């Protein structure tokens, strides 16, 4: 690595950063206006010559304006390291100066989207504890400059050979064949809901455009006629459900390949390193001391294939609602990989002699009641949407399904407490095991409803820097014991939680 690179003076990104910024602006504009733009293109032949000229000039002016904006953003984006602080200047008319102490920096990650891959530059993302998003994102640096910057920042906290890992054997490598297994065993319902959400968003955009360009509500009438046709035939309903299943599986394949392509997972003495991604390549170094908790998840199909996935959770602000930015997911892990990861973070066999404890029987009633509410909501929605009593026949599907899910959720909810470690199990179709070291718990609350008070039970809510962990429906006397023990362990510990 070139040691002559110095960040003591204000530095700009690679000049290729103009292309990255310009490309990102074009993509953002296209996402918001693609429907209108598509309709204008298809109807341009009906424009008068005068209108065509103005349309083309307008498009050219837009492209020129976005390029000038990209250039100004590039020129005004400057950064340097001064003492123990990373300093950033950026903005166009309203200039913004940001100063971050190097001690607060939690992760420094590399990534490449398609544009960055084509011009061979890297995006460097700097994250801090307690932030709900990436604090600083440098869009275009050469690999040499990116490594040098990372080494400069990390040297204040951790001495490690940055990204010089090609000669080391990864603990886990996921090839295309393994990704097929992973994608086949994914939560296809989640993928389907994401796809339907995107489809609904596109439909609303297209519907608004049709209202503006046509006097009649053509699109809505077409959908209404199609809905009546499909719902009037049981055979067509079966076909629609089969098509939705195929779409869900295909969506899972695409999602897994895009996010986890060529996944390699390395273990160092004090950090994990993850490299993965197809259209958006990511290179993440996760310091073990920054890990707040881990969650190991599986489902029946994954069990058959002998694989699970692990989610590493890092510190986020307690006020943040969306915390996906701080979650790092490793798929395709086998039992050997899981044991190695747990042994690197926690004491070996820490929970072997701990007793597995289950919630009070009131928990069963609460889950069953929620399931009935969901069944009622679905029935009301279908009756209002389709306006037909035939929808009640679907209860032969909903009721057994929700009762089965409720039963599995009750069976999978438990907790274990050892001297230094807490394990909380939960799930329904999937099974999730969350491990957290007790000294990393920041706050403990005892939460009780009026219905729980009658039964002398309580929910134990544990707040960590990565979010909440809830132990539901614990007998009151046991909850008090847990509360006192954890407070004692937290107060006694001299370890750093970050």
């Amino acid at each position: 690595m070139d040691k002559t690179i110095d960040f003591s003076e204000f530095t700009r990104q690679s000049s290729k950063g103009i292309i990255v910024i310009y490309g990102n602006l074009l993509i953002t504009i296209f996402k918001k206006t693609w429907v209108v733009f598509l309709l204008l293109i298809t109807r341009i032949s009906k424009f008068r010559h005068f209108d065509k000229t103005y349309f083309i000039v307008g498009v050219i002016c837009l492209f020129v304006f976005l390029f000038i904006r990209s250039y100004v953003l590039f020129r005004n984006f400057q950064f340097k390291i001064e003492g123990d602080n990373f300093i950033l200047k950026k903005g166009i008319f309203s200039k913004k100066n940001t100063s971050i102490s190097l001690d607060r920096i939690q992760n420094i990650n590399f990534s490449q989207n398609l544009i960055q891959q084509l011009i061979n530059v890297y995006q460097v993302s700097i994250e801090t504890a307690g932030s709900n998003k990436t604090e600083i994102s440098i869009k275009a640096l050469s690999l040499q400059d990116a490594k040098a910057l990372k080494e400069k920042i990390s040297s204040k906290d951790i001495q490690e050979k940055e990204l010089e890992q090609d000669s080391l054997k990864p603990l886990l490598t996921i090839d295309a064949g393994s990704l097929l297994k992973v994608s086949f065993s994914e939560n296809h319902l989640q993928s389907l809901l994401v796809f339907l959400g995107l489809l609904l968003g596109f439909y609303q955009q297209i519907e608004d455009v049709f209202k503006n360009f046509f006097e009649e509500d053509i699109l809505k009438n077409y959908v209404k006629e199609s809905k009546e046709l499909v719902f009037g035939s049981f055979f067509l309903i079966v076909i629609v459900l089969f098509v939705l299943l195929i779409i869900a599986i295909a969506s899972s394949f695409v999602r897994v390949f895009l996010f986890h392509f060529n996944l390699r997972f390395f273990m160092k003495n004090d950090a994990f390193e993850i490299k993965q991604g197809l259209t958006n390549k990511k290179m993440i170094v996760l310091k073990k001391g920054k890990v707040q908790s881990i969650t190991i998840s599986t489902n029946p199909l994954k069990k058959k294939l002998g694989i699970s996935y692990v989610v590493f959770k890092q510190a986020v602000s307690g006020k943040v609602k969306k915390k996906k930015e701080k979650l790092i997911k490793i798929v395709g892990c086998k039992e050997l990989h899981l044991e190695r990861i747990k042994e690197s973070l926690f004491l070996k066999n820490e929970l072997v002699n701990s007793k597995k404890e289950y919630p009070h029987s009131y928990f069963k009633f609460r889950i069953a009641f929620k399931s009935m509410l969901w069944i009622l909501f679905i029935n009301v929605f279908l009756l209002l949407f389709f306006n037909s009593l035939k929808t009640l026949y679907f209860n032969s599907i909903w009721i057994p399904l929700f009762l089965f899910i409720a039963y599995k959720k009750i069976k999978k909810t438990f907790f274990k407490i050892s001297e230094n470690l807490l394990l909380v199990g939960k799930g329904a179709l999937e099974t999730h095991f969350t491990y957290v070291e007790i000294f990393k718990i920041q706050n403990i609350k005892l939460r009780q409803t009026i219905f729980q008070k009658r039964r002398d039970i309580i929910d134990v809510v544990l707040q960590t820097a990565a979010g909440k962990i809830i132990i539901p429906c614990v007998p009151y006397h046991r909850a008090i014991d847990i509360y006192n023990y954890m407070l004692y362990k937290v107060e006694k510990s001299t370890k750093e939680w970050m």
Side-chain angles (χ1 to χ4, degrees):
M1 183 180 299
D2 187 358
K3 300 291 185 179
T4 63
I5 300 174
D6 187 11
F7 297 97
S8 60
E9 300 294 333
F10 274 112
T11 305
R12 289 192 178 91
Q13 307 172 71
S14 166
S15 57
K16 297 177 181 178
I18 300 173
I19 301 174
V20 177
I21 298 170
Y22 186 55
N24 288 341
L25 283 175
L26 289 176
I27 291 171
T28 302
I29 295 295
F30 179 75
K31 285 180 178 178
K32 293 180 179 179
T33 62
W34 67 272
V35 177
V36 176
F37 188 75
L38 182 63
L39 279 175
L40 288 173
I41 291 296
T42 55
R43 295 171 63 85
I44 196 171
S45 60
K46 298 181 181 179
F47 289 177
R48 292 174 302 176
H49 178 72
F50 180 77
D51 294 330
K52 288 181 184 179
T53 303
Y54 269 85
F55 174 74
I56 294 171
V57 171
V59 171
I60 293 174
C61 289
L62 176 63
F63 275 76
V64 172
F65 168 76
L66 291 177
F67 182 80
I68 294 172
R69 179 182 173 85
S70 301
Y71 179 76
V72 175
L73 286 172
F74 165 77
R75 291 289 302 176
N76 291 345
F77 190 100
Q78 300 180 68
F79 60 93
K80 71 175 180 178
I81 296 174
E82 187 176 89
D84 292 336
N85 295 289
F86 183 95
I87 299 172
L88 171 69
K89 295 195 305 184
K90 65 177 182 178
I92 300 179
F93 300 110
S94 176
K95 303 292 180 65
K96 181 180 179 182
N97 292 339
T98 303
S99 178
I100 299 176
S101 172
L102 298 184
D103 294 334
R104 284 187 57 223
I105 293 176
Q106 181 171 258
N107 280 336
I108 311 155
N109 303 325
F110 294 178
S111 62
Q112 282 184 307
N113 59 29
L114 280 175
I115 298 174
Q116 290 160 337
Q117 289 180 49
L118 288 172
I119 61 177
N120 194 27
V121 293
Y122 288 77
Q123 176 173 313
V124 179
S125 302
I126 299 175
E127 300 175 355
T128 62
S131 171
N132 66 331
K133 59 183 180 180
T134 299
E135 286 268 340
I136 294 172
S137 180
I138 304 173
K139 300 295 184 182
L141 286 179
S142 66
L143 181 59
Q144 183 183 18
D145 288 356
K147 288 182 179 181
L149 178 62
K150 186 165 187 178
E151 183 178 276
K152 187 80 172 178
I153 293 175
S154 298
S155 62
K156 298 289 183 182
D157 181 34
I158 180 174
Q159 295 295 331
E160 61 181 0
K161 295 180 180 178
E162 300 296 336
L163 305 176
E164 304 283 346
Q165 292 267 5
D166 293 336
S167 60
L168 298 179
K169 184 178 180 182
L171 173 66
L172 173 65
T173 301
I174 302 294
D175 56 19
S178 299
L179 278 181
L180 280 173
K181 293 180 181 179
V182 171
S183 59
F184 186 69
S185 61
E186 282 291 283
N187 186 345
H188 301 308
L189 178 60
Q190 180 185 16
S191 300
L192 179 61
L193 291 176
V194 172
F195 175 80
L196 292 177
L198 291 172
L199 196 63
L200 180 61
F202 291 153
Y203 170 76
Q204 290 175 341
Q205 290 185 54
I206 294 172
E207 185 181 27
D208 292 339
V209 172
F210 268 71
K211 284 181 181 179
N212 293 329
F213 276 82
F214 304 100
E215 295 181 359
E216 297 182 5
D217 207 342
I218 299 175
L219 188 61
K220 184 175 285 187
N221 293 334
Y222 175 76
V223 171
K224 184 178 179 180
E225 292 174 3
S226 301
K227 179 182 69 177
E228 292 174 353
L229 176 64
V230 170
F231 195 74
S233 170
F234 178 79
F235 178 70
L236 286 177
I237 291 175
V238 173
I239 292 177
V240 169
L241 292 175
F242 179 74
V243 170
L244 288 176
L245 177 62
I246 297 300
I247 291 173
I249 295 175
S251 299
S252 294
F253 286 163
V254 172
R255 179 166 55 87
V256 168
F257 270 87
L258 289 179
F259 286 106
H260 303 293
F261 181 77
N262 196 27
L263 188 154
R264 287 174 290 164
F265 180 70
F266 298 88
M267 286 183 60
K268 304 178 183 179
N269 292 330
D270 42 23
F272 301 116
E273 182 173 303
I274 303 102
K275 300 179 181 180
Q276 61 182 354
L278 182 59
T279 56
N280 188 18
K281 292 184 178 179
K282 290 188 177 181
M283 195 179 302
I284 302 168
V285 174
L286 174 61
K287 300 171 186 176
K288 294 179 183 178
K290 307 293 186 181
V291 176
Q292 298 300 304
S293 65
I294 65 168
T295 298
I296 298 173
S297 303
T298 187
N299 60 37
L301 190 52
K302 279 185 167 64
K303 281 185 178 180
K304 291 288 185 183
L305 297 173
I307 58 176
S308 304
Y309 67 85
V310 181
V311 174
F312 297 91
K313 297 182 182 179
Q314 306 172 81
V316 294
S317 170
K319 298 180 181 179
V320 176
K321 293 181 180 180
K322 295 182 180 181
K323 303 176 181 178
K324 292 184 179 180
E325 293 291 332
K326 298 295 182 180
L327 302 182
I328 298 174
K329 183 176 177 180
I330 306 299
V331 300
C333 294
K334 297 184 178 180
E335 190 64 31
L336 171 64
H337 306 133
L338 299 178
E339 291 302 319
R340 289 283 304 277
I341 292 171
K342 287 190 288 185
E343 288 175 11
S344 69
L345 293 172
F346 317 121
L347 294 176
K348 190 175 182 180
N349 300 323
E350 175 77 15
L351 292 162
V352 170
N353 298 320
S354 301
K355 179 184 176 183
K356 184 182 283 189
E357 303 179 59
Y358 293 91
H360 185 272
S361 56
Y362 171 75
F363 182 72
K364 300 177 183 178
F365 168 77
R366 192 164 76 178
I367 295 300
F369 181 72
K370 287 181 179 179
S371 299
M372 292 300 105
L373 286 180
W374 271 109
I375 293 172
L376 178 62
F377 171 78
I378 291 174
N379 275 284
V380 171
F381 174 78
L382 291 177
L383 281 171
L384 293 175
F385 187 77
F386 290 105
N387 196 25
S388 173
L389 291 176
K390 292 180 180 180
T391 57
L392 297 177
Y393 295 140
F394 285 104
N395 282 313
S396 60
I397 299 174
W398 308 135
I399 293 177
L401 176 62
F402 276 94
L403 289 177
F404 174 75
I405 291 174
Y407 170 76
K408 299 299 289 185
K409 193 166 187 176
I410 291 166
K411 294 289 289 183
K412 292 179 179 181
T413 303
F414 72 92
F415 67 94
K416 278 186 175 186
I417 300 177
S418 68
E419 182 178 355
N420 301 299
L421 193 63
L422 168 68
L423 167 61
V424 176
K426 66 176 184 178
L429 299 179
E430 287 194 335
T431 306
H432 308 282
F433 302 102
T434 298
Y435 297 81
V436 59
E437 292 176 288
I438 294 175
F439 79 89
K440 291 188 176 181
I441 294 172
Q442 296 182 321
N443 187 21
I444 308 172
K445 292 182 181 179
L446 300 180
R447 189 175 63 188
Q448 188 179 52
T449 66
I450 57 174
F451 303 105
Q452 290 175 316
K453 192 172 183 179
R454 296 176 185 175
R455 296 166 176 83
D456 203 29
I457 57 177
I458 203 163
D459 292 341
V460 180
V461 182
L462 310 171
Q463 181 69 53
T464 71
K468 291 180 181 179
I469 298 174
I470 299 176
I471 307 176
C473 299
V474 181
Y476 184 80
H477 64 88
R478 179 57 176 148
I480 295 298
D481 289 341
I482 294 172
Y483 180 85
N484 291 331
Y485 178 72
M486 289 189 173
L487 280 181
Y488 166 74
K489 294 295 291 184
V490 171
E491 291 294 331
K492 182 183 176 182
S493 177
T494 57
K495 298 179 180 179
E496 294 183 358
W497 59 272
M498 278 293 297

